[in-house]
Amino acid sequence: MNQTTFLSAFLSHCEETPDKVWLTQPMNNKGVLKTWTFKEALDEAKQMAGFLESKNFEKGTKIAICSKNCAWWVLADISIMLAGHVSVPVYPTLTRDTTAYILEHSESKLLFVGKLDQKPWEEMKIGIPDDLEKVCLPLGIDSSVGARWNDLIEKAESIKETVDRAPEELATIIYTSGSTGKPKGVMLSFKAMTAAVSTICDVYNISARDRWLSYLPLSHAMERFLMNCCMHSGMVIYYPWSLDTFVVDLQRCRPTVFVSVPRLWMKFQQAVTSKLPNVWLQFLLRIPIIGGLVQKKILSGLGLDACRFAISGSAPISPELLMFYSRLGLNMMEGYGMTENYALSHCGRIGRTRVGYVGETYPGVEHRLTEEGEVEVKTPGLMMGYFKNEEATKATITEDGWLKTGDRGSIDKMGRLKITGRTKEIFKTSKGKYVAPSPIENKLNVSDHIELSCVTGTGFPQPFAILQLSEASKKAASESLKAQAEITKQLEAFRKGSINKVVDPHEALDRLVIVKDEWLPENGLLTPTQKMMRTKIENKYKSHYEQWSSSKKTVVWHGW
């Protein structure tokens, strides 16, 4: 079969290796599994595509998918492609208003509803129009929400022909989780998506021999892009059942390719050092033979002992965290990309990484810096534009076809890119000095006590940081005032010695504020990939800024 898109590549795998297992789905938390071969996956998707054809929708109709990651997410997506339509992923913990906006703005005519958590679903379903047709996926939260997937594919007549889509056709609209205003719908063509996945599969030799665990939200471009890599390369997909079974599911998969976000890499590290303090770990790793055994045991415990390479993306990661995994023998690199270029931008190369840099451009990609230091990228993965938002499209793509990233950066002699902050994040103190928060936050997040930090302070003499404690420190602080006092002492020493001594004087932190409430995607303070919604966090606490300042305390406990 002539392969022009990632869809035709997938159809070739179905033709050439029909009996190879492609999908593995836990059906409960007891380890019961369901698998699909390539042929079985295609047959089921063709049945659902037949149902979609029976609706007589106009070609290119928008069809939404709202579910946590599961095999039926990818089957629904393939069925939409085969039927000639456009998929619209909906993140599974949105507010009712955002849910309503996306479904209305995208002009979606049908919604697949799948595996969801009860509390977010109770909120989201209020925003779903009553007259929007719904199909309930297996493992779905609410089997009464609409027609059931299994019932429909039993009755539907399978599509007779599986044909490729034209490269120029619109494939999907992914709504970005912007920190302000309404989310924008990024339109991606089959051509752009295929350019991204084929390039990255070539660079890292991703093939049908590889395995991948799909757990980051499929409504986000990074995970969706990885799913399309699996369609293109034939890489085998595993799914986790829940957070409680994640380690077991990861060990079952033993992925050869693993991608995560800084917050989850940090949690993995904390899980390791909670059992073996970092000082002892580093000592053992330096001992010949014993060091290798320790590496193998830790990576096996994490389920990453077969991992050829790992990537951290979506947000900055501290150099210290990268070095931690490097000492464990994990080939770990940073990656950089946007929904607007479908991740076809930058990534490290094994043997050519530089700590603190997100890597080189992929083949066919160019980068440049504006006079203001903003990174601009020209890439085959470029979006078609924002859906029904020409003004925003023109503001984001230059007349000569370069994507404005909104990130500030620098480029070294080998062409490796370092992100130094967001152009819109830089703020000015009352002394007239500009502060870029991200580099300071990376230094803060090295502390074993800190899981997330938000450096702010517009209009104040010096910046300060709002903190989320790590899980272990939060538990200790909740149970004991003595533990709070000890954490205060250690964080104050950390502020003075490890932060204020290494930053410029105007960046020195006046205080650290430890807030008790959690920052989560569910309450809108984190994005689906665990990035901070900076503006929302600042708005949540700004009424307390003066009180914190006037307290004269250098470590403030807020809400405890």
Side-chain angles (χ1 to χ4, degrees):
M1 180 179 289
N2 182 29
Q3 297 181 15
T4 57
T5 71
F6 65 87
L7 175 59
S8 58
F10 166 72
L11 296 175
S12 291
H13 291 299
C14 296
E15 187 178 293
E16 295 164 8
T17 56
D19 299 324
K20 180 182 178 181
V21 172
W22 186 48
L23 306 174
T24 298
Q25 171 66 55
M27 299 301 290
N28 56 30
N29 61 358
K30 309 293 185 186
V32 176
L33 304 175
K34 178 176 172 58
T35 62
W36 287 258
T37 63
F38 277 107
K39 182 180 184 304
E40 289 167 340
L42 179 59
D43 287 346
E44 192 162 336
K46 286 168 65 177
Q47 291 292 126
M48 181 50 64
F51 165 75
L52 294 176
E53 277 194 345
S54 73
K55 305 304 296 180
N56 294 318
F57 292 139
E58 181 182 349
K59 289 296 182 183
T61 290
K62 317 306 185 295
I63 296 177
I65 308 173
C66 182
S67 174
K68 295 169 75 172
N69 297 26
C70 65
W72 287 279
W73 205 111
V74 64
L75 295 177
D77 194 36
I78 294 171
S79 73
I80 292 168
M81 291 185 237
L82 293 176
H85 300 310
V86 176
S87 61
V88 180
V90 179
Y91 183 66
T93 58
L94 297 176
T95 65
R96 66 186 74 177
D97 291 340
T98 305
T99 302
Y101 173 79
I102 290 174
L103 293 174
E104 179 183 356
H105 185 266
S106 66
E107 303 170 4
S108 292
K109 302 300 181 187
L110 185 142
L111 171 66
F112 287 106
V113 179
K115 191 168 179 269
L116 300 167
D117 292 328
Q118 186 65 46
K119 189 174 180 180
W121 168 243
E122 291 299 325
E123 165 74 11
M124 291 185 74
K125 70 179 180 181
I126 299 171
I128 299 173
D130 292 335
D131 59 352
L132 179 63
E133 186 168 1
K134 307 166 197 70
V135 172
C136 184
L137 303 180
L139 303 181
I141 182 70
D142 187 352
S143 59
S144 66
V145 72
R148 298 185 185 186
W149 172 282
N150 287 337
D151 293 340
L152 293 175
I153 62 172
E154 282 180 12
K155 298 174 185 176
E157 185 177 341
S158 175
I159 58 170
K160 294 181 174 57
E161 242 188 313
T162 52
V163 295
D164 195 11
R165 297 285 294 275
E168 293 75 20
E169 281 187 78
L170 175 63
T172 190
I173 302 175
I174 301 178
Y175 280 81
T176 58
S177 51
S179 58
T180 58
K182 298 289 187 184
K184 297 190 289 289
V186 175
M187 298 188 292
L188 292 166
S189 67
F190 280 96
K191 182 179 181 180
M193 295 168 76
T194 301
V197 301
S198 62
T199 298
I200 293 170
C201 286
D202 287 346
V203 168
Y204 295 110
N205 297 314
I206 297 173
S207 72
R209 296 186 297 274
D210 285 305
R211 299 182 300 277
W212 169 61
L213 184 74
S214 175
Y215 69 99
L216 296 171
L218 275 165
S219 49
H220 189 272
M222 185 165 75
E223 188 78 357
R224 180 78 171 287
F225 146 79
L226 289 166
M227 185 189 82
N228 295 149
C229 283
C230 295
M231 293 178 65
H232 177 83
S233 67
M235 180 162 55
V236 177
I237 309 175
Y238 288 73
Y239 296 92
W241 174 255
S242 68
L243 186 61
D244 292 337
T245 66
F246 184 80
V247 173
V248 173
D249 295 321
L250 187 57
Q251 290 170 337
R252 178 189 298 118
C253 174
R254 294 181 65 243
T256 58
V257 176
F258 190 71
V259 178
S260 194
V261 296
R263 192 182 183 200
L264 293 180
W265 285 119
M266 190 181 299
K267 283 182 176 291
F268 289 161
Q269 181 201 39
Q270 289 170 352
V272 171
T273 56
S274 67
K275 297 177 181 177
L276 181 61
N278 199 37
V279 173
W280 277 104
L281 174 61
Q282 300 310 323
F283 171 73
L284 292 173
L285 290 174
R286 288 193 291 268
I287 302 174
I289 301 176
I290 291 177
L293 294 173
V294 171
Q295 285 180 331
K296 185 175 181 180
K297 182 175 178 60
I298 291 174
L299 291 179
S300 295
L302 292 173
L304 298 177
D305 55 310
C307 189
R308 294 197 294 116
F309 67 91
I311 294 175
S312 178
S314 185
I317 186 170
S318 71
E320 289 80 4
L321 198 53
L322 284 171
M323 291 303 297
F324 173 83
Y325 286 102
S326 175
R327 293 187 188 106
L328 291 180
L330 189 64
N331 285 319
M332 187 169 170
M333 301 164 288
E334 280 197 82
Y336 170 72
M338 300 170 64
T339 306
E340 287 82 352
N341 58 27
Y342 209 48
L344 188 57
S345 186
H346 296 71
C347 198
R349 305 286 200 280
I350 295 173
R352 298 210 302 267
T353 59
R354 181 178 178 184
V355 173
Y357 285 69
V358 296
E360 308 163 40
T361 55
Y362 283 108
V365 177
E366 301 174 67
H367 61 183
R368 68 186 183 189
L369 301 177
T370 66
E371 290 183 2
E372 295 76 26
E374 182 180 0
V375 181
E376 293 184 345
V377 177
K378 180 173 275 191
T379 168
L382 184 65
M383 66 175 177
M384 301 168 75
Y386 294 115
F387 187 54
K388 298 193 296 191
N389 196 338
E390 189 175 345
E391 182 181 351
T393 301
K394 288 181 177 178
T396 305
I397 302 175
T398 67
E399 290 185 3
D400 55 347
W402 291 74
L403 176 68
K404 301 177 182 179
T405 66
D407 288 312
R408 296 170 65 90
S410 62
I411 301 170
D412 74 4
K413 291 180 180 179
M414 287 184 62
R416 294 171 297 199
L417 175 67
K418 180 183 182 70
I419 300 298
T420 57
R422 292 286 293 170
T423 56
K424 293 181 180 177
E425 286 179 355
I426 294 173
F427 62 88
K428 187 189 288 188
T429 66
S430 62
K431 296 176 181 177
K433 296 289 188 178
Y434 287 97
V435 176
S438 292
I440 306 172
E441 289 161 357
N442 273 338
K443 290 178 173 63
L444 283 165
N445 294 344
V446 170
S447 167
D448 290 339
H449 290 301
I450 299 171
E451 183 165 309
L452 286 170
S453 59
C454 177
V455 171
T456 186
T458 302
F460 284 80
Q462 291 291 136
F464 55 92
I466 308 172
L467 309 178
Q468 290 270 282
L469 289 181
S470 64
E471 193 172 330
S473 296
K474 188 167 188 175
K475 182 180 179 183
S478 299
E479 295 174 351
S480 164
L481 290 175
K482 183 178 179 181
Q484 282 191 23
E486 184 58 30
I487 291 170
T488 297
K489 180 181 176 181
Q490 291 180 20
L491 284 180
E492 173 55 12
F494 180 67
R495 180 187 74 90
K496 284 183 175 181
S498 299
I499 304 297
N500 289 357
K501 279 190 176 180
V502 298
V503 300
D504 290 335
H506 71 277
E507 297 175 318
L509 300 176
D510 251 8
R511 70 191 57 82
L512 306 177
V513 181
I514 304 166
V515 295
K516 187 175 185 180
D517 45 279
E518 291 188 89
W519 301 345
L520 302 166
E522 289 77 5
N523 59 25
L525 298 180
L526 297 181
T527 70
T529 51
Q530 308 291 312
K531 286 190 290 189
M532 289 188 302
M533 301 289 271
R534 191 178 298 275
T535 301
K536 292 186 178 180
I537 290 171
E538 290 175 340
N539 287 340
K540 178 177 177 65
Y541 300 109
K542 66 181 180 182
S543 62
H544 302 286
Y545 287 4
E546 289 291 350
Q547 176 191 341
W548 296 340
S549 179
S550 61
S551 73
K552 303 300 181 184
K553 294 179 180 178
T554 54
V555 177
V556 177
W557 293 76
H558 177 79
W560 294 79

